[in-house]
């Protein structure tokens, strides 16, 4: 196959063989989000590039090297395929004045795009489910988010495979103090900084702590800690979050190095991590971003949220042996003969009227080859129509799973037999 006619590298097809897992996941999250009163929103996949630069920050991995940005040739606008969902959600909330009557609990799902090196758990088109609570200042909302994620892991059967790491980034003043100390520290160890870190030393030294370079781990480990700079308000908020987790019986560790790769975070940040997926172990991440609504032109409103990586969660489901069975038809309709084929269409529609899932055999073929297809479809029943049955306005029905003899019945009886069990 010509390379240009293949899927773009790092962008996956989701084939019918994989879809049961996706649909199981999607059905679970819908119920779960409804149980917390979150409302779905859908925003465009394309936004103005400026939105992501403003929201995520100029000196971040995403904006510096991961965005799919292009110029719309028709009008010269710079557009970007969304690399994440929070910027768009907040943009929409501001644009439609959604916070005029108070806080909003929102969620979204869909594809995100980042030009990263494709590998297991890291793709160029991947999917996120994101949750945003706009207009909520207190730690009660941070706790709600942590409790709800914990509940989702239970619902998915993943609770024993993930652990929670939390941290607080404090407010603007403590971050400024910490930033000054970090610059001082890294300046003193300049020879140990890699190229990325050198470039970020003055523009975004906090990001150096987020490095994945093994050679810099020791240096980063010993760097000044933000927690030592936090003021009373930040510490109080963090204490309340931890207390909320403790009273709900949710285990966590405080990871002072957890800073997250996006600029908009303050106060609480968290990640749910698994050891079962190798290097790409973060399945869900988020935190508080009290400044973002104002930064995108809205009336100041505190907020927090998180996003999970759907592919990583599905990989974890598969890895831990939780493969849901796909949907199977109730009946496969075998039809041999001209009159039978015409009548079969009516029979199939009648069964669907009764709420049944029916696959009608199309394309002819011998009785034997059609019965093979019926078996392979995993349907519970084969409904068999020959010209004989068609003439009598009846059908033969044969159980394909387990015991039971073939019977010949009228249309009304047919639906009753198939609906049983
Ligand atoms: P990482 O450190 O793995 O690059 P990140 O901090 O860039 O993650 P976020 O922007 O916080 O990721 O996105 C939230 C979640 O989305 C991640 O925890 C992960 O599960 C998922 N995710 C992020 N990037 C990718 C990707 N390229 N492919 C698949 N999933 C991804
Ligand atoms: Mg990343």
């Amino acid at each position: 196959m010509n390379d240009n006619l293949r899927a773009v590298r790092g962008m996956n097809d989701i084939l019918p063989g994989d879809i049961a897992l996706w649909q199981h996941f999607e059905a679970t999250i819908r119920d779960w989000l409804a149980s917390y009163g979150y409302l779905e929103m859908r925003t465009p996949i394309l936004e103005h590039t400026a939105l992501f630069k403003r929201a995520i920050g100029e000196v971040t991995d995403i904006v510096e090297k991961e965005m799919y940005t292009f110029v719309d040739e028709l009008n010269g606008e710079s557009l970007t395929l969304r690399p994440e969902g929070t910027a768009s959600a907040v943009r929409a909330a501001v644009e439609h004045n959604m916070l005029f009557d108070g806080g909003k609990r929102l969620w979204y799902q869909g594809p995100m795009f980042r030009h990263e090196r494709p590998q297991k758990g890291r793709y160029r088109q991947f999917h996120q489910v994101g949750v945003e609570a706009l207009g909520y200042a207190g730690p009660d909302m941070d706790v709600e988010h942590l409790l709800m994620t914990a509940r989702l892991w239970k619902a998915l059967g993943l609770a024993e495979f993930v652990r929670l790491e939390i941290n607080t980034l404090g407010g603007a003043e403590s971050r400024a103090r910490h930033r000054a100390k970090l610059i001082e520290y890294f300046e003193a160890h300049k020879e140990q900084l890699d190229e990325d870190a050198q470039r970020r030393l003055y523009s975004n030294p906090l990001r150096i702590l987020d490095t994945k370079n093994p050679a810099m781990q020791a240096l980063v480990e010993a760097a000044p800690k933000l927690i030592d700079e936090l003021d009373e308000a930040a510490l109080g908020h963090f204490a309340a979050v931890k207390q909320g987790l403790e009273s709900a019986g949710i285990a966590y560790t405080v990871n002072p190095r957890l800073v997250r790769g996006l600029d908009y975070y303050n106060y609480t940040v968290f990640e749910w991590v698994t050891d079962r997926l190798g290097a790409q172990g973060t399945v869900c991440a988020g935190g508080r971003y009290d400044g973002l609504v104002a930064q995108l032109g809205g009336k100041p409103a505190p907020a927090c949220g998180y996003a999970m990586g759907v592919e990583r969660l599905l990989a974890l489901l598969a890895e831990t042996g939780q493969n849901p069975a796909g949907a199977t038809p109730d009946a496969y309709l075998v039809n041999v003969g001209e009159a039978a084929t015409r009548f079969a269409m009516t029979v199939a529609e009648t069964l669907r009227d009764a709420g049944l899932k029916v696959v009608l055999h199309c394309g002819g073929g011998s009785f034997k080859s059609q019965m093979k297809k019926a078996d392979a479809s995993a349907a519970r029943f084969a409904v068999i129509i020959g010209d004989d049955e068609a003439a009598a306005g009846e059908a033969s029905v044969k159980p394909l799973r387990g015991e039971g003899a073939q019977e010949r019945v009228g249309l009304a009886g047919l639906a009753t037999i198939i609906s049983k069990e």
Side-chain angles (χ1 to χ4, degrees), residues 114 116 121-123 126 128 212 260 282-283 285 307 309 312:
R114 296 185 193 180
E116 303 195 72
R122 195 175 290 288
Y123 309 104
F126 62 100
Q128 286 186 340
K212 298 203 165 82
R260 312 282 305 113
T282 304
V283 293
R312 291 185 194 178

Side-chain angles (χ1 to χ4, degrees), residues 38 105 133 136-149 164 166-168 234 237-238 240-242 244-245 250 265-270 272 286-290 302-306:
Y38 282 73
R105 288 175 164 91
Y136 296 90
D140 49 352
M141 187 51 84
D142 305 58
V143 173
E144 172 169 304
H145 283 178
L146 293 167
L147 260 56
M148 73 190 281
T149 44
L164 174 62
I166 62 171
N167 191 23
T168 178
H237 190 101
F238 196 44
V241 171
K242 292 190 283 189
L245 287 170
I250 296 172
Y265 287 109
N266 69 307
Y267 276 43
T268 322
V269 289
F270 68 88
W272 285 95
R288 188 159 272 288
Y289 50 90
D290 292 327
C304 55
Y306 57 91

Side-chain angles (χ1 to χ4, degrees), residues 13-341:
D13 297 308
I14 302 165
L15 300 176
D18 306 322
I19 212 71
L21 200 53
W22 282 82
Q23 291 182 344
H24 164 68
F25 177 78
E26 287 164 3
T28 307
I29 61 145
R30 262 173 221 291
D31 288 349
W32 160 74
L33 287 157
S35 79
Y36 282 86
Y38 282 73
L39 302 177
E40 185 178 2
M41 72 188 297
R42 300 180 187 189
T43 61
I45 283 169
L46 274 180
E47 299 273 359
H48 290 117
T49 305
L51 173 69
F52 299 116
K53 285 193 175 169
R54 171 69 73 86
I56 299 168
E58 297 266 3
V59 193
T60 58
D61 278 349
I62 294 180
V63 170
E64 280 184 334
K65 50 190 185 201
E66 296 175 359
M67 294 205 305
Y68 280 91
T69 295
F70 61 94
V71 175
D72 180 341
E73 286 177 12
L74 295 179
N75 59 11
E77 282 182 339
S78 181
L79 301 177
T80 295
L81 283 168
R82 64 181 184 195
E84 58 104 55
T86 302
S88 309
V90 171
R91 187 225 12 99
V94 170
E95 194 166 329
H96 303 286
N97 195 23
M98 283 167 63
L99 303 182
F100 80 99
D101 60 348
K104 290 286 174 292
R105 288 175 164 91
L106 306 168
W107 73 277
Y108 57 82
Q109 67 174 333
M112 306 295 162
F113 302 85
R114 296 185 193 180
H115 200 281
E116 303 195 72
R117 191 170 70 75
Q119 54 197 291
K120 187 179 171 228
R122 195 175 290 288
Y123 309 104
R124 290 180 172 175
Q125 174 176 308
F126 62 100
H127 295 74
Q128 286 186 340
V129 170
V131 168
E132 318 288 356
L134 308 181
Y136 296 90
D140 49 352
M141 187 51 84
D142 305 58
V143 173
E144 172 169 304
H145 283 178
L146 293 167
L147 260 56
M148 73 190 281
T149 44
R151 180 181 292 274
L152 179 62
W153 313 142
K154 264 197 212 142
L156 290 168
L158 295 178
E160 58 182 301
F161 306 112
V162 290
R163 61 190 155 75
L164 174 62
E165 295 191 355
I166 62 171
N167 191 23
T168 178
L169 303 180
E173 278 174 30
S174 30
R175 287 170 79 172
R177 272 199 305 278
H178 179 232
R179 185 191 146 94
K181 287 197 178 168
L182 273 183
I183 293 178
E184 202 180 319
Y185 170 81
F186 285 127
E187 271 178 338
H189 299 88
K190 215 165 182 171
E191 72 293 343
Q192 293 178 50
L193 298 181
D194 63 16
E195 209 178 301
D196 258 359
Q198 296 216 10
R199 198 166 33 84
R200 288 170 170 183
L201 177 53
Y202 300 103
S203 58
N204 204 339
L206 193 67
R207 190 77 66 245
I208 300 176
L209 300 177
D210 209 18
T211 179
K212 298 203 165 82
N213 181 353
M216 280 178 48
Q217 293 308 308
L219 180 70
V220 156
E221 204 75 58
K225 299 210 174 3
L226 177 68
I227 206 140
D228 299 328
E229 307 298 331
L230 295 182
D231 56 27
E232 239 171 74
L235 287 171
H237 190 101
F238 196 44
V241 171
K242 292 190 283 189
Q243 205 267 315
L245 287 170
E246 276 149 34
S247 37
I250 296 172
Y252 65 89
T253 51
V254 174
N255 175 359
R257 288 192 43 211
L258 186 64
V259 294
R260 312 282 305 113
L262 299 84
D263 275 358
Y264 50 61
Y265 287 109
N266 69 307
Y267 276 43
T268 322
V269 289
F270 68 88
E271 289 190 358
W272 285 95
V273 187
T274 179
D275 299 325
R276 303 288 290 259
L277 295 178
Q280 269 57 252
T282 304
V283 293
C284 174
R288 188 159 272 288
Y289 50 90
D290 292 327
L292 187 58
V293 175
Q295 207 178 327
L296 295 184
K299 203 165 130 248
C304 55
Y306 57 91
M308 46 195 136
V310 178
E311 281 83 356
R312 291 185 194 178
L313 282 168
L314 298 190
L316 188 56
L317 284 171
E319 169 74 23
T320 56
Q322 302 177 69
N323 288 315
T328 51
D330 297 308
Y332 190 96
L333 237 120
V334 169
N335 52 95
V336 184
E338 233 174 83
T341 298

